[in-house]
Amino acid sequence: MIKVELIIINKDGVRDPEGETLKRYVVDEVGKDKVADVRVGKVIVIKVNSSSREEAEKFVTRLAEEKRLYNPIVHKVIVRSEKIEDGNN
Amino acid sequence: MIKVELIIINKDGVRDPEGETLKRYVVDEVGKDKVADVRVGKVIVIKVNSSSREEAEKFVTRLAEEKRLYNPIVHKVIVRSEKIEDGNN
Amino acid sequence: MILTLSEREMEVARKVLQREPNEAEWRMLDVLWSEHCSYKSSKVFLRSLPSEGPNVVMSVEDWQDAGAVDIGDGLALVLKVESHNHPSAVDPFNGAATGVGGILRDIISKGAMPIALLDMIRVGELNEKGKWLLRNIIAGIGFYGNSVGVPVVGGELSFDSTYNDNPLVDVACVGIVDKGSIVPSVVKEPGLRLVLTGFTGLDGLGGASFASRKLSGNDEIGAVQIADPFAGKIVIDSTLEVIKYVDAIKDLGGGGLAVAVTEMANGLGAIVNLEKVPLRVKELLPEEIIISETQERMLFAVKPENVEKVCSKFKEFNYPCEDIGEITPDRRVKFLYNGKTVADLPSELLLSPPLNLMPSERAPRRYNVPKDVTIEEAINKVLSHPDLVSKEIVYSQYDYEVGTSTLVKPGEADSAVLELPNGRLLALKADANQDLCSEDPYECGKSIVAESFRNLSTVGARGIALVDHLQFGDPRKPHVYQDFIESLRGIAEASRFFSTPIVGGKVSFHNEDKDGNPIKPTPLVVMAGLIEDKVVRNEVREGTLVLLGN
Amino acid sequence: MRTAIIKFPGTTCEMDVLKALKLVKADAEIVLFNKFDPDHYQGVVLPGGFSFGDYLRAGSIAANSEAIKGVKEMANEGKLVLGICNGFQILVEAGILKGALLPNLNLRFVTKWVWLRVKRKDTPFTKESKDVLFMPIAHAEGRYFLDDEESASEIAVLQYADERGVPTSEANPNGSLMNIAGITNEGENVLGLMPHPERASFRSISPNGSSDGLHILKVFGG
Ligand SMILES: Nc1ncnc2c1ncn2[C@@H]1O[C@H](COP(=O)(O)OP(=O)(O)O)[C@@H](O)[C@H]1O
């Protein structure tokens, strides 16, 4: 089984109020210089019945596009995968 | 600079209605047997001015705890990091 | 196995059964005899409440899931209040949200369409933790209420350090139903099928009476219930569509199937085939299925020929629905798994825990009036108290317009006003006063009823009924128990005085801080009233100052 | 006009829309998402609510449904399509209308009565409308965004405004680009808006006694 992680996050030009709020918090706390940027997004973790990471990633990427798991106007996506034992994490 | 990724997701035994719904109404439409499980969580990406991955990860973990960015009773967190060139990515 | 039953209670059970109950049976007794389900320490007193009146359709002594009053034109108003304090302390978002889900299911259990919610929030100091609690409680209530389309039309927000570790999250709901179509919670005849909707899972295993335990290597899962308003909405819509085909409805709350089946059978018997229960996770044990408190489930008693009609309405939305057993004449509640008996107990025993009258003792009056305060200090202190700030930040997060009937909206007056389907105008208000109650619970009981009645009158309404919710510390402490008894006496006296019958209520004990100190006594009432003439809108113009009273 | 009000699991405003459409004498009915046949109707309304729990993003799961394919067909045939709140979110997620509706800038759900400037009156929905309308919003994801300001300005039909109809930044409740509250498509037969016209159709519940929502809904009458 392959665990595929799809990270959906706002593109650089699109405002991310949650990240901005968090950054303000952090800056308040620890000083301006410690943190350069904060972004908040969603992650979808999909366990795919497959033995090839490449195939599983392709499947998830296609799914994300066809079913619009993200909106290409505002989001960028990152796909990652790892092989796991059945039933495990 | 270190880019730290903090993934916040429900613990394994805790329900995730969002993932369940996504599986039942979207993912299963594409291939019911193809996917074993879908889970949805949040990702926070923080760029920390630091030269040590370890230090940056510790900083983000502490921040997440102190600012109650997650609820340890419900969520588990996964922390990952990578070194990046300034301003990149 | 951790049980909350006392030695005495266990002796009673053994004596009646003439044997040692098995583990599943102990757990059933544990939940059914829990304070939460059985009211063993409070029932005697609740019976003394003035619960009758010419308009009362269903009241405290009927011991149903909610009370109901006649509002004319063949309609009844169904009313209920409940808290979700402990879950909200652990997980404020899901705790508050599932509280809303629970109260809604109480209303639809009567066949009534929920038309409005109220939320009463009490938290401690606004430090980092207090803010986190408050932010998430509000978000949780909004998440559930908004998602299912029931407007939150009013409530309270109050701060007191007594709630630092134990916030109070109370939610009330009102619904409308044709008087003749109110669905009972109990059955009258054997032979009816038991139909269960919704998946049963690990979540909420052990909420009512035993502490969390390890399950499949995961920790503390049992304590947490995740809110799923989407499922909740399907349950609401579908249940209201099938009421004409069902003989009785119970929602599954504290104590899960054990409590719902036993209370529905109401002295008759039942057989439940646990292998038929739709499961979300495969590894659940039969004993766990019996007491799992997973949300968004309903139990229906249905004539055999109607089972299909009921289930098809749920399956239309891909929602599980199964025939899991039947009501029997033999006065025993039996849970079987693939034909093997898991638990088999007499209904009578399950329904009648030994009542619990505890020692009570009047606490010294706690009048605590600071001396030598200048009028200026007093005014500053009062006006800067967070209880008195604008509550817009709260109610603007709730969809109070859905249903297109909210006439007087949150923030506009001291009560909310709704337009009912028959054109009549309903006013709603909730009140509590922890400061007064900690000084004199009896006077306070009277005072909160009077205050609701006054608040209703400011929009032109006369109170017609109320529900109460009594929130106290550990009743085994004589002062706490005495506070409870006295505040109830005060509430009862005032309701008699105003002719506003008490048609329902709820008791929540064991509200304590982490050092074991009880919270300030916090009884709370929710009153409904009708506007006989037209809505009174208070309008204060520049230059006017209005004072009433002496 | 024969009008369908589509109910998805999680839709909450279908009854309110029906009640309001009756006021303008529309021949409207509520249709379950899996029973919807676009050929039966000349108009369709996607009411507000939380379709499929609004999981992932508001409207995103409903946008994938068969019913929405039917709505797309109707839009292409020039039939009237109105999306209110969650309905607007669905239209955007389905690509029937352009852009995206993002979480409100203050990250909170907000209920509030707002003033709207009617920027375009050349759509069937706003043809004889007043210049300024008063309606409530109730949403958490209503911040309109499009990566092309020029075209956003063209498709904008309604803008959050002050009482006189000026789209000031104070009047913007959610951070929408150019205060946009509602947009149309190229054919002008589709309107999506975040405010709820059906909740502004009954004088008794409007804070100022108006019924401005009927200005939009009347197109389904007759
Ligand atoms: N938790 C809440 N949820 C919804 N509405 C609330 C809440 N708290 C306060 N409100 C509303 O805010 C308004 C003002 O509240 P408050 O100042 O407490 O009034 P009062 O003193 O009459 O109780 C009322 O309309 C009340 O219903």
Side-chain angles (χ1 to χ4, degrees), chain C residues 119 121 152 154-157 391 394-395 398 410-411 413-414 429:
Chain C
D119 68 317
I121 304 173
V152 179
E156 284 189 296
L157 174 60
K391 310 290 166 30
V394 185
Y395 58 74
Y398 304 147
D414 286 344
K429 176 64 187 164

Side-chain angles (χ1 to χ4, degrees), chain C residues 98-280:
Chain C
T98 49
V100 174
I103 197 86
L104 283 163
R105 283 193 300 281
D106 276 334
I107 298 298
I108 59 170
S109 296
K110 310 286 14 116
M113 160 99 139
I115 58 165
L117 288 159
L118 301 168
D119 68 317
M120 289 63 74
I121 304 173
R122 291 187 154 69
V123 290
E125 286 150 56
L126 273 182
N127 49 24
E128 198 73 50
K129 180 177 160 204
K131 285 189 223 160
W132 172 75
L133 283 170
L134 183 58
R135 200 170 45 237
N136 281 288
I137 289 168
I138 296 169
I141 291 168
F143 175 61
Y144 207 108
N146 297 345
S147 299
V148 298
V150 180
V152 179
V153 299
E156 284 189 296
L157 174 60
S158 183
F159 300 89
D160 192 314
S161 53
T162 192
Y163 308 119
N164 277 353
D165 299 325
N166 192 333
L168 300 187
V169 179
D170 293 289
V171 281
C173 186
V174 297
I176 292 285
V177 60
D178 281 335
K179 225 171 84 184
S181 328
I182 295 184
V183 184
S185 317
V186 298
V187 298
K188 295 199 192 64
E189 53 183 300
L192 295 168
R193 303 302 306 174
L194 291 168
V195 170
L196 177 72
T197 66
F199 284 115
T200 298
L202 288 166
D203 48 327
L205 248 180
S209 61
F210 74 94
S212 57
R213 46 163 275 216
K214 286 200 184 302
L215 255 170
S216 339
N218 296 302
D219 49 353
E220 291 193 79
I221 292 158
V224 185
Q225 294 190 324
I226 303 297
D228 185 2
F230 172 55
K233 174 71 172 151
I234 291 176
V235 169
I236 294 173
D237 288 353
S238 305
T239 299
L240 293 179
E241 287 214 26
V242 302
I243 52 172
K244 49 186 174 296
Y245 304 122
V246 304
D247 287 55
I249 308 182
K250 281 292 290 180
D251 69 298
L252 280 89
L257 269 178
V259 168
V261 170
T262 308
E263 291 188 353
M264 180 178 263
N266 194 32
L268 287 170
I271 288 187
V272 175
N273 305 302
L274 290 166
E275 74 282 359
K276 300 242 174 81
V277 172
L279 299 185
R280 178 173 295 115

Side-chain angles (χ1 to χ4, degrees), chain D residues 3 5 14-30 198 201-202 214 217-218 220-222:
Chain D
T3 306
I5 303 166
E14 73 279 8
M15 297 292 280
D16 295 342
V17 169
L18 182 66
K19 193 165 121 185
L21 282 181
K22 277 188 182 150
L23 284 184
V24 298
K25 303 202 160 49
D27 176 13
E29 64 184 358
I30 296 168
E198 80 281 11
S201 295
F202 310 95
L214 297 177
L217 298 178
K218 67 177 182 322
F220 294 102

Side-chain angles (χ1 to χ4, degrees), chain D:
Chain D
M1 179 182 304
R2 250 190 103 52
T3 306
I5 303 166
I6 300 186
K7 177 179 170 67
F8 291 97
T11 297
T12 60
C13 303
E14 73 279 8
M15 297 292 280
D16 295 342
V17 169
L18 182 66
K19 193 165 121 185
L21 282 181
K22 277 188 182 150
L23 284 184
V24 298
K25 303 202 160 49
D27 176 13
E29 64 184 358
I30 296 168
V31 193
L32 217 52
F33 75 115
N34 47 13
K35 307 224 164 97
F36 169 66
D37 178 354
D39 295 337
H40 278 49
Y41 305 95
Q42 283 102 48
V44 62
V45 181
L46 302 178
F50 293 73
S51 54
F52 296 95
D54 268 3
Y55 289 131
L56 195 57
R57 285 184 312 280
S60 64
I61 299 183
N64 278 307
S65 65
E66 276 304 306
I68 291 304
K69 286 192 192 132
V71 170
K72 205 175 246 169
E73 259 171 50
M74 290 178 70
N76 291 339
E77 288 163 12
K79 292 177 175 174
L80 291 184
V81 178
L82 175 65
I84 301 167
C85 197
N86 195 232
F88 183 17
Q89 291 162 336
I90 295 170
L91 289 175
V92 165
E93 285 289 340
I96 298 174
L97 287 173
K98 269 199 228 172
L101 288 157
L102 303 175
N104 298 347
L105 266 196
N106 68 8
L107 299 173
R108 280 199 292 268
F109 187 98
V110 59
T111 299
K112 193 177 173 186
W113 283 75
V114 296
W115 300 95
L116 299 167
R117 169 187 181 223
V118 182
K119 184 169 174 284
R120 283 183 55 177
K121 291 199 189 171
D122 57 345
T123 81
F125 304 92
T126 49
K127 209 161 53 210
E128 283 149 23
S129 166
K130 291 196 291 191
D131 298 337
V132 184
L133 303 174
F134 189 48
M135 282 185 216
I137 53 166
H139 60 249
E141 295 176 45
R143 173 164 55 111
Y144 185 74
F145 177 81
L146 187 64
D147 46 8
D148 167 6
E149 295 212 6
E150 202 173 312
S151 106
S153 167
E154 275 164 28
I155 58 179
V157 176
L158 299 165
Q159 288 171 295
Y160 302 107
D162 65 13
E163 204 168 334
R164 291 161 303 141
V166 184
T168 61
S169 57
E170 297 76 52
N172 192 337
N174 53 23
S176 280
L177 179 73
M178 290 186 292
N179 284 36
I180 288 175
I183 60 170
T184 187
N185 62 342
E186 229 163 74
E188 288 144 14
N189 59 320
V190 180
L191 176 70
L193 76 170
M194 288 315 294
H196 286 267
E198 80 281 11
R199 299 181 182 183
S201 295
F202 310 95
R203 290 180 190 283
S204 61
I205 63 162
S206 162
N208 70 358
S210 58
S211 56
D212 290 357
L214 297 177
H215 284 255
I216 307 272
L217 298 178
K218 67 177 182 322
V219 65
F220 294 102

